[in-house]
Amino acid sequence: GAVVSQHPSWVICKSGTSVKIECRSLDFQATTMFWYRQFPKQSLMLMATSNEGSKATYEQGVEKDKFLINHASLTLSTLTVTSAHPEDSSFYICSAMQREGPQETQYFGPGTRLLVL
Amino acid sequence: GESVGLHLPTLSVQEGDNSIINCAYSNSASDYFIWYKQESGKGPQFIIDIRSNMDKRQGQRVTVLLNKTVKHLSLQIAATQPGDSAVYFCAEKSGGYQKVTFGTGTKLQVIP
């Protein structure tokens, strides 16, 4: 199947700093990518839908000015957590949508663990 | 923020036995369902999917059953192996919407 990568796989930062996470579709083009957040022992919660060449669509309750999303190319979306605080510590997972005719399949990245001190 | 004391439902199964993981969904408009497997510290991995015009689909060692009347989905794993130990999520998608909504998850523990 198709491969999605994330970088970094883990990051530790100080409170108040910004952290950028990259999501890449390695062997296919993805006009649509998704960003999820997962707290321990919980399910994945969709944060936003990232569309190539246009603004991201954020889910209710997700601050767009805090979680900046840029989908600059067909293989790359970035999530920047601005002015990170300890409560932003979580597992961030992206997925990329592969379209083959009428079939749409989401492939997930390996996740990025963020710890804010 | 992080919830303290929240535990995933856990299913413990003897190696070699069959496992059945259940999922209830709420959106009657959902027409596409997916099961994902998530190992510790990793992203979800696609297992099998089913469209709402079907009630059963089989893959390699896995079967998904869909009961639209009671909005229930199940994943059956035959001859469960230690490598099947993971958290399993059902997910749903409704026509015209790209986003996938995840269920709460079930932790499968395989006892050797």
Side-chain angles (χ1 to χ4, degrees):
Chain A
V3 178
V4 175
S5 71
Q6 283 184 239
H7 179 80
S9 56
W10 61 269
V11 56
I12 302 173
C13 70
K14 292 182 179 180
S15 186
T17 60
S18 295
V19 174
K20 181 186 282 189
I21 303 170
E22 292 184 349
C23 178
R24 292 182 186 273
S25 55
L26 296 186
D27 48 3
F28 67 99
Q29 293 183 331
T31 55
T32 305
M33 293 184 175
F34 302 90
W35 285 98
Y36 295 82
R37 181 167 52 182
Q38 185 180 32
F39 293 109
K41 294 186 169 64
Q42 294 191 34
S43 187
L44 283 74
M45 296 301 295
L46 181 66
M47 299 174 67
T49 302
S50 171
N51 301 295
E52 189 268 335
S54 65
K55 290 182 180 180
T57 304
Y58 290 82
E59 294 299 299
Q60 194 171 11
V62 177
E63 300 174 58
K64 63 180 181 181
D65 294 330
K66 180 169 181 62
F67 299 100
L68 301 178
I69 291 172
N70 186 355
H71 196 150
S73 77
L74 288 172
T75 58
L76 173 64
S77 175
T78 60
L79 169 69
T80 301
V81 183
T82 62
S83 186
H85 288 95
E87 58 265 31
D88 298 322
S89 298
S90 189
F91 193 47
Y92 291 86
I93 305 170
C94 74
S95 70
M97 178 90 74
Q98 183 185 44
R99 291 191 177 86
E100 291 180 311
Q103 179 75 19
E104 292 181 340
T105 306
Q106 273 195 46
Y107 293 95
F108 284 82
T112 297
R113 190 161 301 280
L114 170 64
L115 177 61
V116 184
L117 302 176
Chain B
E2 185 173 331
S3 295
V4 176
L6 184 68
H7 295 283
L8 287 168
T10 300
L11 174 66
S12 295
V13 174
Q14 203 74 34
E15 181 179 357
D17 287 352
N18 296 334
S19 303
I20 300 177
I21 301 171
N22 297 302
C23 176
Y25 64 94
S26 56
N27 186 358
S28 55
S30 294
D31 59 2
Y32 177 59
F33 304 89
I34 315 122
W35 279 101
Y36 290 97
K37 172 186 180 183
Q38 186 180 29
E39 296 174 318
S40 182
K42 297 183 179 179
Q45 178 186 356
F46 173 90
I47 301 173
I48 192 169
D49 59 359
I50 188 168
R51 297 205 173 272
S52 59
N53 60 354
M54 301 171 70
D55 52 21
K56 180 179 180 179
R57 190 162 187 229
Q58 288 185 293
Q60 190 176 18
R61 272 203 315 120
V62 294
T63 301
V64 55
L65 298 178
L66 174 63
N67 185 330
K68 295 182 289 292
T69 303
V70 295
K71 299 199 198 77
H72 184 267
L73 196 65
S74 69
L75 176 69
Q76 300 179 2
I77 304 173
T80 313
Q81 302 167 2
D84 295 327
S85 294
V87 177
Y88 290 81
F89 292 97
C90 65
E92 59 187 290
K93 185 176 168 185
S94 54
Y97 294 94
Q98 296 175 319
K99 63 182 183 181
V100 168
T101 302
F102 280 76
T104 53
T106 297
K107 183 176 181 180
L108 177 64
Q109 286 182 333
V110 182
I111 305 164

